[in-house]
Amino acid sequence: MEIYGTKIDKKWQKIWEDTDLYKFDKDNLKEKLYVLEMFSYPSGAKLHAGHWFNYAPVDSWARLKKMQGYNVFQPMGFDAFGLPAENYAIKTGLHPKDSTLKNIETMEKQLKAMGAMFNWDAEVVTCNPDYYKWTQWLFLKLYEKGLAYRKKAPVNWCPSCNTVLANEQVIDGTCERCGTEVTKKDLTQWFFKITDYADELLEKLEPLDWPEKTKSMQKHWIGKSKGAEVTFKAYDSDITFDVFTTRVDTLFGVTYVVLAPESPLTDKLTIDEYKTAVETYKQHTKKQSEIERQSLTREKTGVFTGSYAINPVNGKKIPIWVADYVLATYGTGAVMAVPSHDERDFDFATKYKLPIIRVIEGGEKLPYAGYGKLVSSENFNDLSGNEAKEAIINTLSKKDLGRWKVNYRLHDWLVSRQRYWGAPIPIVYCDTCGIVPVPEDQLPIELPYDVEFTPDGKSPLAKSEDFVNTTCPHCGGKAKREVDTLDTFVCSSWYYLRYADNKNSEMAFDPNKINKILPVDKYVGGPEHACMHLLYARFMTKALRDMGYLDFDEPFKSLRHQGLILGPDGQKMSKSKGNTISPDDYISKYGADVFRLYLMFGFDFVEGGAWSDDGIKAMAKFVDRAQRILSKCTDYINLGGKSKNTIDKAEKELNYVRHFSIKGISEDAEKFQFNTCIARIMEFTNALTKYSSCQVKNPVFLKECLDDFIKILAPFAPHFCEEQWSILTNNFSIFNEKWPEFDPKALVKDEVEIAIQVNGKIKARFNIPANLDDTSIENAALEDSSVKIALEGKTILKIIVIKGRLVNIVVK
Ligand code: ANZ
Ligand code: ZN
């Protein structure tokens, strides 16, 4: 008889589905628990081990919570638009719509084979018009509130994907998707004004139950910096410009000014004689990534503009340079250089023989700035650190030449893409009316099917006459549609809201419904989303809250990340290395439970690790063993084996392990320590095996132990345990049973083992009642025959009793 494997899996999966076992009760939300795993891209044809490692352990936790009485909502869906799906389609020569829908079908089947209790009736697929209609609606709402806008800006361009990328999608200067070096292009693009929420995104981050590392990455990405803006005037000219500085107290030490090559000021301030040199330098800069440019150790380069500026505090004339270590995208794109107190300025000044004036005494030595006393100007002498800053800002602000300023590293979110496979942006351009948002009742703007979508740098939709040409919703005249599509991160910034009301055709979601189901109680997915998806979703929640749709501030109260499953060689799995593990092969051999158990036992959830075939074989053996002991004990119980009234030692021992396991698993699962959960179940199996070999057993007690055993294993091996439960009890379903509670009394040991030493050498060990007092312990020690022999002819000087562990008899 098969005890685990696809036959058992399928049998129970069908029954679970037919009986609606996972039904989420929307009318009884007191004990609701929204458990969410990041939905997947249907970009490859199949689920990989990484998907399983995200979904299976979390499903086990959700099952446990269901048994603890929670009304669990665990939806699943597909992040179906975007580059991954489109690139897959191009690679396979299929249309993205066809390949995506086909992949989704396969992946749904695989996800079902996992036996996870997903609420499939809540499924969302972001590339379906009934979903992206509302993504477009969201765009219109943001536009209405001034949170979506269009501007020309230097943007990140991936020459291989042929599209712009958001800052978040540029990793170490390369494209997040294909690894190609990213360049800059001046383009008119759509942005979401996430910076309006920078402060709140920062403040509300701290109290969240999220991994500290993720919080700190997001905090750094938002990058709040408190400083000042100082206005400089160009010499012999009307041009003025601001610099951003966190060290306005070093203003007397400024010996030159540096502009970012891309700053519009650069062209304005470069005099004719230097134009060629500056232009050459600007071209050179285009090839450098922002990461490289920020490196402290890299050799500094730059060129002179031929212009000078006036330092507003002392009227000194200082040269204006252009250098790539100043970024156009931060602060004002212009810097006051203080080579005496700033390392980069120091390197630059040394290389180009620019003056260095030390203005602060008593701080750290060069090249780092200190916060010592100011020594540079009679007016400010003897002031230190913050006092000097205050005094200087006070003086400057009277002439409107300086002010406090808070700066953020975070930029507005660039959301338009020059690719085909995304939600069309619901905007129309009319010669008469300008930018016109598409009226809500005309949504969705459907993505046309017949389009030449191979990327060539232009938006593919521009090639579709039918799509482009339209009438202006405002004046009825001829108009053209926006041809860019939305970044797929826009789709995923609100999917967790749609799950809770996915069939609504009147609105994106009914606030009355979803405000009760959300926020998400536990969100689990990869750590790579720290500065993208997780930030965007938080922004979207806050924006929708401010529009009156949501009554909560944060979408994800508690967040966990799973680690990475590596190939057997310890390397990241990749087709080119030939070290990928396909879950399907193992599922058909061992069934879902053995696979799930192995993932949970063989790896630390947060750390992940290398795959091992031996590990999964061992897990299959364990399940065999568990089944044998269950069947042996069940037979004994059914035969009505001899019973007795007294509780003997063997019974006590098993009872201890039983309650120890219940307690441990309840606690460890809460911490997502699934490997120790399985280890405890293994201990319980050993204890059962030991007890089952006793001559006299207590069938009533044994039945209780088996019940608990199956219950606490059930979340981890759901199909196997449902089967065993039906054999043992004839009941359905184990997941409607109550999770057992441990009995603290069972964890108090009656007896403890004690060691008896004579002059530090162990002479005997034996058990004593756990509550024995010191004198009785001493007496018991002196009674022991081996101890008696050791004490012969000696004088006892002292007896030391360490409760519950040790007696040391000191003799002469
Ligand atoms: C003068 C100065 C003296 C500075 C000193 C620092 C130390 P954070 O803390 O990251 O906000 N800066 C300003 N804009 C820049 C840009 N677009 N590209 C590169 N560097 C820029 O850093 C603020 C400091 O970074 C500013 O303060 C400015 O240099 C530089 F002893 O001004 B400081
Ligand atoms: Zn018009």
Side-chain angles (χ1 to χ4, degrees):
M1 186 191 73
E2 194 175 84
I3 54 160
Y4 56 81
T6 43
K7 238 200 226 147
I8 299 275
D9 290 355
K10 289 222 174 82
K11 167 181 166 187
W12 290 110
Q13 280 159 18
K14 178 157 193 323
I15 297 176
W16 289 335
E17 200 180 320
D18 292 348
T19 56
D20 218 355
L21 181 69
Y22 315 138
K23 193 177 164 52
F24 172 59
D25 184 357
K26 289 195 179 179
D27 301 320
N28 174 24
L29 295 171
K30 242 208 226 127
E31 295 293 326
K32 73 95 185 173
L33 188 80
Y34 189 166
V35 181
L36 184 63
E37 292 107 304
M38 290 182 183
F39 62 171
S40 24
Y41 295 121
S43 56
K46 287 192 160 177
L47 288 189
H48 51 71
H51 290 117
W52 274 81
F53 196 49
N54 182 351
Y55 303 153
V58 181
D59 175 64
S60 291
W61 181 75
R63 284 179 180 272
L64 193 159
K65 299 310 276 183
K66 176 175 164 59
M67 292 173 80
Q68 285 180 342
Y70 287 92
N71 179 15
V72 175
F73 183 49
Q74 192 185 208
M76 185 43 76
F78 295 92
D79 195 4
F81 264 145
L83 284 184
E86 187 171 347
N87 288 342
Y88 176 83
I90 291 167
K91 206 176 75 192
T92 54
L94 297 164
H95 189 282
K97 184 174 175 185
D98 301 334
S99 70
T100 301
L101 295 183
K102 197 169 146 260
N103 289 348
I104 287 176
E105 213 177 291
T106 316
M107 287 171 89
E108 271 170 1
K109 267 195 208 124
Q110 290 179 297
L111 284 166
K112 286 181 179 161
M114 187 182 286
M117 50 176 212
F118 294 129
N119 298 92
W120 282 108
D121 55 346
E123 183 178 13
V124 304
V125 175
T126 59
C127 69
N128 287 346
D130 65 354
Y131 183 85
Y132 72 71
K133 169 178 180 176
W134 303 112
T135 306
Q136 292 172 338
W137 170 85
L138 208 69
F139 180 95
L140 293 175
K141 284 290 153 197
L142 293 172
Y143 183 75
E144 199 179 299
K145 297 286 171 216
L147 290 170
Y149 66 95
R150 207 166 169 251
K151 77 164 181 207
K152 188 168 179 163
V155 295
N156 305 303
W157 180 264
C158 172
S160 162
C161 293
N162 266 313
T163 186
V164 304
L165 301 171
N167 284 332
E168 291 82 354
Q169 288 167 317
V170 181
I171 312 293
D172 292 341
T174 65
C175 170
E176 180 224 5
R177 280 282 144 220
C178 69
T180 307
E181 194 119 350
V182 169
T183 58
K184 291 272 180 187
K185 251 194 186 184
D186 266 331
L187 285 174
T188 303
Q189 297 289 309
W190 284 97
F191 293 84
F192 286 169
K193 222 168 174 188
I194 191 170
T195 51
D196 267 16
Y197 288 88
D199 252 328
E200 197 196 335
L201 287 167
L202 197 64
E203 263 165 42
K204 300 252 165 78
L205 187 61
E206 203 33 52
L208 292 176
D209 172 29
W210 283 23
E212 282 308 318
K213 192 170 164 213
T214 305
K215 287 203 270 188
S216 104
M217 279 169 72
Q218 208 172 93
K219 188 174 158 190
H220 186 81
W221 187 261
I222 297 167
K224 184 173 181 169
S225 171
K226 291 177 195 158
E229 254 173 23
V230 178
T231 307
F232 282 70
K233 192 176 140 348
Y235 178 75
D236 250 0
S237 146
D238 290 336
I239 299 173
T240 62
F241 59 91
D242 293 337
V243 303
F244 174 70
T245 177
T246 46
R247 294 299 308 272
V248 71
D249 54 325
T250 63
L251 194 51
F252 291 97
V254 175
T255 54
Y256 61 104
V257 166
V258 194
L259 308 176
E262 308 90 333
S263 164
L265 276 172
T266 297
D267 287 343
K268 275 201 243 167
L269 287 168
T270 304
I271 63 166
D272 287 348
E273 196 187 334
Y274 291 89
K275 283 247 188 290
T276 327
V278 167
E279 199 46 48
T280 312
Y281 187 71
K282 278 169 67 176
Q283 291 309 322
H284 164 80
T285 306
K286 281 209 172 120
K287 292 183 211 117
Q288 320 291 318
S289 73
E290 287 206 353
I291 299 282
E292 270 177 285
R293 288 169 60 173
Q294 282 168 282
S295 153
L296 283 178
T297 50
R298 179 168 167 265
E299 166 148 19
K300 305 286 169 297
T301 58
V303 284
F304 183 42
T305 60
S307 294
Y308 294 85
I310 302 296
N311 185 335
V313 282
N314 55 17
K316 277 197 181 149
K317 185 178 158 190
I318 48 176
I320 302 174
W321 282 68
V322 174
D324 66 4
Y325 73 93
V326 175
L327 304 177
T329 48
Y330 188 64
T332 64
V335 166
M336 57 180 233
V338 188
S340 54
H341 299 283
D342 182 275
E343 195 176 355
R344 292 174 303 180
D345 299 342
F346 178 79
D347 292 348
F348 192 82
T350 313
K351 179 167 172 188
Y352 293 104
K353 311 222 160 31
L354 293 158
I356 299 173
I357 305 173
R358 190 138 189 233
V359 289
I360 285 166
E361 205 66 76
E364 279 170 56
K365 292 278 176 251
L366 278 173
Y368 290 104
Y371 283 90
K373 286 212 165 119
L374 212 58
V375 292
S376 53
S377 152
E378 282 170 22
N379 299 344
F380 298 100
N381 256 358
D382 282 348
L383 293 182
S384 63
N386 290 334
E387 289 170 34
K389 288 183 184 171
E390 290 276 356
I392 291 171
I393 287 295
N394 270 340
T395 312
L396 288 175
S397 66
K398 286 189 191 120
K399 292 177 258 170
D400 196 26
L401 294 175
R403 58 217 76 92
W404 297 113
K405 168 85 185 172
V406 174
N407 227 332
Y408 296 91
R409 218 156 266 287
L410 182 70
H411 294 301
D412 281 341
W413 172 17
L414 200 172
V415 294
S416 42
R417 295 288 177 276
Q418 293 67 52
R419 295 289 295 246
Y420 167 65
W421 192 234
I425 296 174
I427 290 287
V428 157
Y429 302 98
C430 165
D431 283 344
T432 321
C433 314
I435 300 179
V436 184
V438 173
E440 226 180 283
D441 59 12
Q442 288 178 25
L443 299 183
I445 303 299
E446 289 216 32
L447 184 68
Y449 183 88
D450 273 323
V451 176
E452 172 48 49
F453 57 81
T454 325
D456 63 0
K458 303 244 170 54
S459 301
L461 289 181
K463 293 172 207 154
S464 170
E465 296 279 317
D466 287 353
F467 179 83
V468 176
N469 296 317
T470 183
T471 51
C472 169
H474 198 230
C475 70
K478 275 192 180 154
K480 290 201 184 305
R481 285 194 193 284
E482 169 63 68
V483 289
D484 285 357
T485 54
L486 286 170
D487 178 11
T488 178
F489 279 110
V490 179
C491 309
S492 59
S493 68
W494 75 284
Y495 78 110
Y496 49 94
L497 303 174
R498 181 71 180 174
Y499 274 144
D501 194 14
N502 70 328
K503 299 208 171 50
N504 201 327
S505 56
E506 302 298 311
M507 37 185 157
F509 47 76
D510 178 352
N512 292 324
K513 277 189 194 162
I514 74 159
N515 280 323
K516 288 182 205 131
I517 298 174
L518 279 112
V520 172
D521 296 287
K522 188 72 82 185
Y523 195 27
V524 188
E528 66 277 11
H529 292 293
C531 300
M532 294 190 272
H533 164 60
L534 290 167
L535 190 61
Y536 299 147
R538 294 183 64 217
F539 157 69
M540 208 53 91
T541 296
K542 290 174 199 304
L544 286 165
R545 174 203 60 197
D546 290 348
M547 294 175 205
Y549 293 107
L550 303 179
D551 66 6
F552 51 93
D553 300 326
E554 287 289 336
F556 315 124
K557 284 204 285 197
S558 175
L559 172 76
R560 298 289 177 270
H561 299 307
Q562 79 278 7
L564 210 58
I565 301 292
L566 305 169
D569 54 358
Q571 301 295 311
K572 207 176 158 177
M573 286 188 202
S574 85
K575 285 201 186 96
S576 61
K577 285 199 204 105
N579 63 350
T580 55
I581 292 297
S582 152
D584 293 16
D585 303 343
Y586 293 90
I587 305 310
S588 59
K589 187 161 176 197
Y590 298 109
D593 291 343
V594 170
F595 197 80
R596 292 172 64 130
L597 283 168
Y598 170 58
L599 288 178
M600 283 182 267
F601 182 64
F603 304 86
D604 179 283
F605 186 71
V606 176
E607 302 290 326
W611 177 269
S612 147
D613 270 353
D614 289 343
I616 195 163
K617 271 182 215 147
M619 197 46 73
K621 279 204 186 114
F622 163 71
V623 181
D624 281 332
R625 203 151 64 79
Q627 195 275 332
R628 277 200 306 274
I629 187 68
L630 282 173
S631 109
K632 181 174 168 191
C633 294
T634 311
D635 289 349
Y636 180 81
I637 293 164
N638 290 344
L639 284 172
K642 269 194 232 107
S643 185
K644 56 188 179 46
N645 301 324
T646 52
I647 302 172
D648 67 5
K649 208 178 129 210
E651 225 171 296
K652 274 237 161 91
E653 235 179 83
L654 175 58
N655 205 37
Y656 176 85
V657 179
R658 164 191 175 196
H659 288 284
F660 188 73
S661 306
I662 297 171
K663 178 170 187 283
I665 293 172
S666 311
E667 291 168 0
D668 293 356
E670 223 42 63
K671 292 182 260 174
F672 276 34
Q673 285 171 8
F674 302 108
N675 47 358
T676 52
C677 291
I678 311 297
R680 285 172 201 276
I681 289 167
M682 289 173 169
E683 283 165 28
F684 195 0
T685 316
N686 294 343
L688 271 174
T689 311
K690 189 169 168 197
Y691 183 74
S692 72
S693 62
C694 290
Q695 277 289 319
V696 193
K697 292 182 272 282
N698 178 344
V700 178
F701 166 71
L702 186 57
K703 168 77 168 47
E704 281 172 23
C705 287
L706 292 195
D707 283 0
D708 282 353
F709 180 83
I710 300 174
K711 282 180 198 168
I712 63 177
L713 178 58
F716 307 99
H719 311 86
F720 172 74
C721 288
E722 191 73 276
E723 177 80 10
Q724 296 298 320
W725 187 246
S726 79
I727 295 170
L728 182 70
T729 67
N730 235 335
N731 286 337
F732 177 81
S733 152
I734 181 95
F735 298 102
N736 289 329
E737 293 295 321
K738 222 174 143 301
W739 181 256
E741 289 195 10
F742 75 93
D743 174 7
K745 278 193 273 126
L747 295 179
V748 180
K749 286 196 167 172
D750 300 350
E751 287 200 331
V752 286
E753 194 191 66
I754 187 157
I756 318 295
Q757 299 179 337
V758 174
N759 280 354
K761 283 208 187 89
I762 292 180
K763 297 292 169 193
R765 280 180 202 279
F766 52 79
N767 284 350
I768 55 161
N771 55 4
L772 215 57
D773 63 66
D774 283 7
T775 326
S776 314
I777 296 174
E778 267 182 48
N779 290 340
L782 296 170
E783 290 290 295
D784 184 87
S785 53
S786 327
V787 176
K788 272 185 182 157
I789 295 167
L791 291 179
E792 241 163 60
K794 306 268 164 65
T795 319
I796 296 176
L797 296 178
K798 207 158 106 189
I799 303 180
I800 303 156
V801 180
I802 298 170
K803 214 163 175 56
R805 269 177 46 209
L806 187 86
V807 176
N808 189 14
I809 306 168
V810 186
V811 297
K812 196 172 64 174

